[in-house]
Amino acid sequence: MSDFRKAALDYHAKPTPGKIGIQITKPAETVKDLALAYSPGVAEPVREIAEDIDNVYKYTGKGNLVAVITNGTAILGLGNLGPMASKPVMEGKALLFKRFANLDSIDIEVTHRTTEDFINTVANIADTFGGINLEDIKSPECFEIEKELIKRCNIPVFHDDQHGTAIVTAAGLLNALEIQGKDIRKVTIVCMGAGAAAIACMELLIKCGAKREYIYMLDTKGVIHTRREDLNKYKTLFANNTDKRTLEDALDGADVFIGVSGPDALPPKALKLMAANPVIFACSNPDPEIKPELAHAERTDLIMATGRSDYPNQVNNVLCFPFIFRGALDVRASVINDEMKIAAVHAIRAIAKEPVPAEVLQAAQVAKLEFGAEYIIPKPMDPRLLPRVAKAVADAAVASGVARIPMPKHYMES
């Protein structure tokens, strides 16, 4: 057993199994405390909520509670291993919500027979929570699940594998293109992968200015084009009217490669086909589509990002999802809409252009970070992410009409 594997297993097992627990937030030491916490005192908030359902936010923890929900059909890069195998990942997500945004979170793993069963299960328990983070659900079912739950639930529902990945990718790519002197409205993008993350990334990039006709998406059968008859309705949105068929065909003259597929899918020699000053996002985890060392050996003019923390420019969902939920819950948003996602993109990318605090340098274990080829997105430990991204999201929720309460005072004062 490797040292790292043993350390990971020990971390999850000792001294108490798992990564999250329950914390009492009120005194519970005396008979009077217990009388207030439960019978007979608990009857008073019950009556208040029955009279006005919005009082549930005043007297319970609903407004600060996120459910992390999965069926375990697409766990990380490990595949369909079932609900119980997904529990360590969902507990980890709950840990990140608490660590980065002080949001309470509970993991829920659902066993079901049909997609409709899953949707009904989640919809029926949704009112317990302030928001729902869907996670590790395979494509294409994930699209229908999220769509139906957004329709049926009166709280924000957000599939992080889709939209979290898309938001951080868009923030990093816009900055990389700026450094490379390129305009997102004019660049050609090759997307290796056609699952949930790939489709969400491309859709958000289009909302940020990319042109659909300049995007070449590939699945395991090659370029997705208009003459293919094996495409589902989600892939069809990216069917390009082109004679290009292979990855090499698509890369010829391309400005951007975005990989959300699998390890070593991008041959180093193929980089030579790309336009000057290309941008490579190889986001497969733990092994990217191309290792940065190999990419830089082929091209000295590229900007490179991966999903790994041991290379510069980590595309990491933790840069957005805790803060998006923080902002959404703080104004009781009914949904997380495109305006809120785009606000998060611009808030994240702006932080990377500013001087980096000493505490971030210390956490990153580097002497210096400056906006440029090896620093296009903030580090996860950057304390500016919480106030800045959350406020941008809350502002966008209010401006777009999906907030139920005004901006909190602490946002107005910041």
Side-chain angles (χ1 to χ4, degrees), residues 46-185:
V46 168
R47 293 187 180 101
E48 292 294 308
I49 295 167
E51 187 173 322
D52 181 353
I53 199 167
D54 282 347
N55 280 331
V56 71
Y57 288 96
K58 182 176 182 181
Y59 295 112
T60 79
K62 173 182 168 75
N64 199 56
L65 183 62
V66 176
V68 180
I69 305 183
T70 190
N71 58 7
T73 53
I75 305 173
L76 303 175
L78 303 172
N80 184 356
L81 301 181
M84 284 301 93
S86 73
K87 191 169 177 64
V89 184
M90 301 308 111
E91 285 190 353
K93 199 80 173 194
L95 179 152
L96 295 174
F97 270 117
K98 190 66 176 179
R99 163 63 179 82
F100 288 100
N102 197 28
L103 283 164
D104 296 325
S105 182
I106 189 72
D107 64 295
I108 298 173
E109 294 76 33
V110 179
T111 300
H112 61 98
R113 293 171 298 169
T114 67
T115 296
E116 186 179 6
D117 281 347
F118 182 91
I119 292 167
N120 287 337
T121 297
V122 177
N124 287 339
I125 63 172
D127 284 349
T128 303
F129 307 100
I132 291 173
N133 183 104
L134 299 173
E135 193 81 14
D136 288 0
I137 302 169
K138 72 183 179 74
S139 173
E141 291 86 347
C142 63
F143 299 115
E144 180 187 351
I145 286 169
E146 186 190 44
K147 180 182 176 183
E148 286 302 311
L149 287 173
I150 288 171
K151 191 186 301 181
R152 291 178 57 177
C153 299
N154 203 25
I155 57 173
V157 177
F158 183 84
H159 186 201
D160 187 48
D161 299 308
Q162 290 184 59
H163 309 299
T165 303
I167 288 163
V168 180
T169 298
L173 182 61
L174 286 167
N175 278 350
L177 290 173
E178 180 179 327
I179 294 164
Q180 297 288 56
K182 299 194 176 193
D183 185 341
I184 193 169
R185 296 169 296 180

Side-chain angles (χ1 to χ4, degrees), residues 139 143 193-204 217 232 234-235 238:
S139 173
F143 299 115
I199 289 170
C201 283
M202 295 306 106
E203 290 290 1
L204 187 59
M217 183 177 283
N232 63 39
Y234 305 104
K235 291 183 182 182
F238 291 93

Side-chain angles (χ1 to χ4, degrees), residues 8 82 155 307-308 392-393:
I155 57 173
R308 291 176 55 141
V393 169

Side-chain angles (χ1 to χ4, degrees), residues 280-329:
I280 311 296
F281 277 34
C283 297
S284 173
N285 252 332
D287 300 311
E289 284 78 4
I290 185 170
K291 293 180 175 61
E293 305 93 313
L294 298 177
H296 288 296
E298 290 294 332
R299 299 285 297 251
T300 59
D301 61 341
L302 60 76
I303 291 180
M304 178 91 196
T306 71
R308 291 176 55 141
S309 60
D310 52 348
Y311 291 111
N313 300 328
Q314 184 190 18
V315 179
N316 189 335
N317 289 18
V318 79
L319 292 173
C320 74
F321 74 81
F323 319 120
I324 286 172
F325 272 94
R326 179 77 276 164
L329 268 62

Side-chain angles (χ1 to χ4, degrees), residues 337-351:
N337 59 22
D338 287 340
E339 292 88 344
M340 296 159 75
K341 295 170 194 172
I342 292 169
V345 168
H346 291 296
I348 293 166
R349 66 177 298 223
I351 292 170

Side-chain angles (χ1 to χ4, degrees), residues 323-324 326-333 337-344 347 386-414:
F323 319 120
I324 286 172
R326 179 77 276 164
L329 268 62
D330 282 348
V331 293
R332 294 186 202 164
N337 59 22
D338 287 340
E339 292 88 344
M340 296 159 75
K341 295 170 194 172
I342 292 169
L386 174 55
R388 298 272 289 274
V389 179
K391 183 178 187 300
V393 169
D395 276 333
V398 172
S400 61
V402 300
R404 294 196 189 90
I405 60 173
M407 289 282 286
K409 283 185 179 179
H410 68 273
Y411 283 140
M412 305 295 288
E413 295 165 356
S414 62

